[in-house]
Amino acid sequence: DTLWDLAIAEVEKRENPDDGDDVKPGEVWEKSILFMGNKNGGKTTIILRCLEREESPKPTLALEYTFGRRARRHNTPKDVAHFWELGGGTSLVELIRIPITSHNIRSFAVVLVLDLSKPNELWTTMESLLQVTRSHVNKILTKLEKTNPEVAAEIKQRMWNHLQKDHPDYVLVDPFPIPLVIIGSKYDIFHEFDSEIRKIISKTLRFVSHYYGASLVFTSKSEALLLKARALINHLAFGYDKSKSVSLDPSKPLFIPAGLDSMSQIGPPPASDSDLGKMCANTPLELWKKVFEKTFPAKSFFDLQDTKDPAQDSQYAEYEVDVMRAQKNQELEQYKRNASKSWKEMDFDSD
């Protein structure tokens, strides 16, 4: 951005403050973000980069927590951002109920990390994670409508802030109830795909992001791409200015902040008119799903479950705990044998 662009952005920010900018001087800004997505999709790497930590990423076990602190200006209290990371792909999705509560829903956001190198897992992962999250958030909002209707109304109104009522897509989209960023990871591998394959995936993710009112960014281990993802996350976490730049070219990494795309720019689903005519769908999202899965047949939800027992993972080994666990396992096996023996010796003959 040029100096003039930055000056315009600053004036707009002062005249039209964001939802979180009502923090009074001296108060601490506190936000929460849940990272979820494909197993081994790069969530931890992205979090570490956002927090400027030089650690090597480790596999995430279940639900992990960390936090970051930033000062908005010199000699002011540091704002706090809570970072939650859901491990295991879709296998532990019910754990999202732990970080997202009625107490923090007003300041909560979601970052969905989708592995671009695994298109056959993409839709199932996205659908299962967002459906469970949305259902949980809607339950919280239903309760808030009874206990704190003003906050519930504010959250529902905020869903539409990126889209004006006279926007041609207003009746075609279904915004996610809380701020959402979709990150397509492993762009370096994705870039080697056939151009038509890349085009289908890029176009589909553009539609999904626009439909949900989400921001979309493609990233990899490249420093330049990580910085773009970091800019979107820092906006959610610390209220940094939104980026006004946009990249829609399917031959390059996509970068589309929420509200800066449109159905007319995205175009129709990548299928022939005859194929589209044969597909039965009740919503635009369902139609795009059918078109996408015709090219990339989805893996079932159960195929994406992570069945590995964390207790057997060497990286979590603790001698005292493991010895006690082995003892308890032996006691359990002995109990099973005794119970089985007692069952066999029981007399079921009636008098």
Side-chain angles (χ1 to χ4, degrees), residues 136-198:
H136 176 61
V137 171
N138 284 340
K139 287 179 182 177
I140 292 176
L141 291 178
T142 299
K143 291 180 180 178
L144 279 177
E145 286 176 343
K146 300 176 181 177
T147 60
N148 199 335
E150 291 183 0
V151 171
E154 176 193 327
I155 293 172
K156 290 187 175 183
Q157 177 57 44
R158 191 190 305 169
M159 292 163 51
W160 295 93
N161 280 355
H162 70 283
L163 211 62
Q164 299 299 321
K165 287 188 176 181
D166 59 351
H167 193 288
D169 300 339
Y170 195 84
V171 297
L172 299 175
V173 299
D174 187 15
F176 206 67
I178 54 179
L180 173 65
V181 170
I182 297 178
I183 296 179
S185 65
K186 301 188 181 179
Y187 179 80
D188 49 337
I189 299 175
F190 172 78
H191 187 61
E192 301 300 320
F193 288 1
D194 177 79
S195 61
E196 282 304 309
I197 296 297
R198 294 202 312 270

Side-chain angles (χ1 to χ4, degrees), residues 14-30:
R14 292 178 181 179
E15 293 178 350
N16 303 292
D18 287 342
D19 297 316
D21 287 341
D22 56 354
V23 179
K24 298 177 181 178
E27 289 187 355
V28 174
W29 167 301
E30 195 166 348

Side-chain angles (χ1 to χ4, degrees), residues 90-155:
T90 59
S91 62
L92 303 170
V93 66
E94 294 301 323
L95 292 179
I96 62 102
R97 297 174 181 177
I98 295 173
I100 307 178
T101 69
S102 58
H103 299 291
N104 64 15
I105 188 69
R106 192 180 177 209
S107 59
F108 212 100
V110 170
V111 174
L112 176 64
V113 180
L114 299 174
D115 189 337
L116 295 174
S117 69
K118 299 176 180 177
N120 295 88
E121 297 181 12
L122 192 150
W123 196 284
T124 304
T125 299
M126 173 193 70
E127 185 176 57
S128 58
L129 290 173
L130 291 185
Q131 279 183 351
V132 173
T133 305
R134 183 168 213 159
S135 176
H136 176 61
V137 171
N138 284 340
K139 287 179 182 177
I140 292 176
L141 291 178
T142 299
K143 291 180 180 178
L144 279 177
E145 286 176 343
K146 300 176 181 177
T147 60
N148 199 335
E150 291 183 0
V151 171
E154 176 193 327
I155 293 172

